[in-house]
Amino acid sequence: MDELRLAYLEAMDIDVWMPRGERIAAAIAGSEPRLVVSPGNGELLCIALSAEEARLKLATDISGAMRSAPVWAWPAEGAIDTPDTVSLREAVAERLATEVLIFGEVAAARLFGSVVPAVLGAARMHVVPSLARLGKDREAKRILWKLMCDQGIAAT
């Protein structure tokens, strides 16, 4: 069963039988890196490399070009489970996100290592150029804009 269907069943509190190996993998996923998530809910979740990046004017401008206001997040210092942090899976479920934009390969590697899944819970995952690169590279801006238009993220 694909990840999206499993997420829907989980949201409805329906237990799904999993082979032992998959249960172990799911337990390991519980130790995934933690995020600090800014207030708000919405279908768009943007992950910057740091809180400072998420507060940049460029991040605000990108938010303004989206169909709805995104929720910004960034990796927490370490993988410490505190009341102020959540896993990416929890952030997607709690905020009802359907699209996640991860700004930069470094941020993606902190969250997933070498392989970023196409879908996590009910959200499609997209790795886009970093905010640092977007600030100085026109081609990076074109890449982001094309993805936003293709996925219906851009404001109409």
Side-chain angles (χ1 to χ4, degrees):
M1 191 175 294
D2 68 20
E3 183 90 20
L4 186 59
R5 288 185 178 150
L6 287 172
Y8 286 132
L9 292 172
E10 181 181 325
M12 294 185 295
D13 288 328
I14 297 173
D15 292 328
V16 177
W17 178 87
M18 280 191 278
R20 184 171 187 236
E22 290 181 29
R23 284 197 313 263
I24 293 168
I28 291 169
S31 64
E32 59 194 39
R34 310 294 288 173
L35 294 173
V36 177
V37 182
S38 63
N41 288 314
E43 59 191 333
L44 303 174
L45 178 63
C46 294
I47 301 175
L49 190 55
S50 66
E52 293 76 25
E53 273 197 357
R55 292 187 197 106
L56 290 174
K57 181 178 182 330
L58 178 58
T60 303
D61 292 345
I62 291 169
S63 297
M66 294 181 168
R67 69 176 179 240
S68 62
V71 175
W72 283 87
W74 51 91
E77 297 298 320
I80 300 170
D81 186 4
T82 68
D84 297 338
T85 65
V86 297
S87 70
L88 178 53
R89 187 177 302 278
E90 292 167 331
V92 165
E94 291 172 6
R95 303 297 192 289
L96 304 175
T98 58
E99 305 283 348
V100 176
L101 275 67
I102 303 170
F103 286 85
E105 296 291 335
V106 173
R110 282 192 186 170
L111 295 171
F112 296 106
S114 61
V115 179
V116 177
V119 176
L120 182 71
R124 290 183 290 188
M125 310 298 290
H126 308 281
V127 179
V128 298
S130 68
L131 288 165
R133 183 175 166 211
L134 286 164
K136 55 189 168 190
D137 183 352
R138 285 183 174 205
E139 182 59 26
K141 290 176 185 174
R142 280 189 207 103
I143 291 168
L144 175 61
W145 183 246
K146 181 173 180 351
L147 178 125
M148 288 172 56
C149 291
D150 290 349
Q151 299 300 317
I153 296 170
T156 55

